Amino acid sequence: MTSTAAAFLPSPRRYDEGIAAELRQVTSGSRRHRRYQRPVDGLSLELRRGEVTTLLSRHDRSGGRLLDLLDGRVPVSQGSVRVAGHEVSGLDPRELFRLRREQVTRVQPGYGIYPKLTVRQNLVIAQRRSGRAADLRWIDEVTESLGLSGMLGYHDQPGADVRRARLAVARSLVGRPALLLVDHVSAPLAWPDKTALTDALRLAASRLRVAAVIASHDPVTASATDRVVLMNRGRVIDDTGVAADAS
């Protein structure tokens, strides 16, 4: 019998391998209280590997909505969303599950962490839970890149928040995703040391060639990342990054 595993996702078109995700003229909205609202409205954006991008929105949830579009949690009304060359729009639940497991993941603070185990043991457990066989070479590369080693008994110890942030990022990397998402808007208290989080994301992006995206209301967090996309009412009103500064 022919295996259908390869049919879960549509074949990727030819694309720039440096682009982890791209949105083309994306609109996402819903009717609420008899009014049609567009948290994302006609937005086009490219997210490149090796960069940390902050989606900065001061008074709305447009940044968080964009994260939901990137991992398929909410549908696209118009336009196209692609992650690692795969079209996200229109995937069925089985295909979405595989896309999230293989290409896009959210950084969860403190989730599934065992302080009495080593970093390596924690990451092996995380990788097996994701449905993959343990890849010790990749785990060791992630651990070394983020400066992690030894036990995780970090409670009430100096530098605990730094290690906690780096481990949360490392745990999200065990599946070799193209895209790391951090919803800083909905869980601001989960990251007591914001600098530790942004430092960990920058290490992961630059050394492991992934794209990291933070949805935030905090300009201080944004200032520590490679690129700041300022959003208002679902539209990009400014895009400042390394490429823009160099030009």
Side-chain angles (χ1 to χ4, degrees):
M1 184 174 64
T2 303
S3 173
T4 59
F8 288 168
L9 293 175
S11 299
R13 69 185 182 194
R14 293 187 65 182
Y15 73 107
D16 182 350
E17 293 184 357
I19 298 176
E22 54 184 326
L23 301 95
R24 301 296 180 202
Q25 295 298 315
V26 172
T27 295
S28 177
S30 59
R31 188 170 296 280
R32 188 175 182 182
H33 303 306
R34 299 183 180 181
R35 297 182 60 186
Y36 189 76
Q37 300 178 346
R38 293 186 178 91
V40 175
D41 188 8
L43 186 144
S44 294
L45 196 66
E46 291 182 352
L47 300 167
R48 303 194 66 86
R49 292 176 182 268
E51 287 186 358
V52 181
T53 299
T54 299
L55 306 173
L56 182 63
S57 55
R58 299 305 304 275
H59 306 294
D60 58 37
R61 278 273 302 159
S62 54
R65 181 66 168 230
L66 193 52
L67 299 190
D68 293 338
L69 287 168
L70 287 167
D71 71 357
R73 294 193 183 196
V74 298
V76 174
S77 302
Q78 294 178 359
S80 171
V81 177
R82 298 180 72 86
V83 175
H86 299 288
E87 182 67 44
V88 177
S89 312
L91 293 181
D92 65 32
R94 191 179 186 185
E95 294 167 339
L96 273 175
F97 175 80
R98 185 175 178 187
L99 181 75
R100 291 170 185 157
R101 189 177 70 180
E102 296 181 357
Q103 300 294 351
V104 56
T105 185
R106 296 208 178 203
V107 180
Q108 302 287 347
Y111 173 74
I113 293 175
Y114 302 95
K116 293 186 178 180
L117 298 180
T118 66
V119 171
R120 196 184 203 215
Q121 289 168 335
N122 270 272
L123 296 183
V124 167
I125 291 171
Q127 198 167 57
R128 287 175 175 167
R129 283 186 172 181
S130 71
R132 295 170 175 268
D135 184 346
L136 296 182
R137 181 176 298 178
W138 174 249
I139 286 173
D140 289 343
E141 185 175 348
V142 170
T143 302
E144 182 179 352
S145 295
L146 289 171
L148 290 167
S149 62
M151 302 292 291
L152 284 177
Y154 50 67
H155 296 293
D156 300 321
Q157 294 182 5
D161 289 341
V162 175
R163 285 175 61 79
R164 186 180 297 113
R166 290 190 178 188
L167 181 66
V169 173
R171 191 184 187 283
S172 301
L173 287 165
V174 293
R176 295 177 178 261
L179 198 59
L180 291 179
L181 308 178
V182 181
D183 196 342
H184 203 258
V185 173
S186 65
L189 298 180
W191 304 104
D193 191 332
K194 298 173 185 177
T195 302
L197 171 64
T198 53
D199 286 349
L201 290 171
R202 292 184 73 174
L203 284 171
S206 63
R207 297 182 182 181
L208 301 172
R209 302 302 298 167
V210 300
V213 187
I214 307 173
S216 181
H217 291 332
D218 180 18
V220 176
T221 297
S223 68
T225 59
D226 300 308
R227 180 183 180 192
V228 180
V229 177
L230 185 60
M231 303 182 66
N232 185 35
R233 300 183 184 275
R235 294 178 178 270
V236 173
I237 60 175
D238 191 38
D239 187 346
T240 304
V242 174
D245 292 341
S247 61

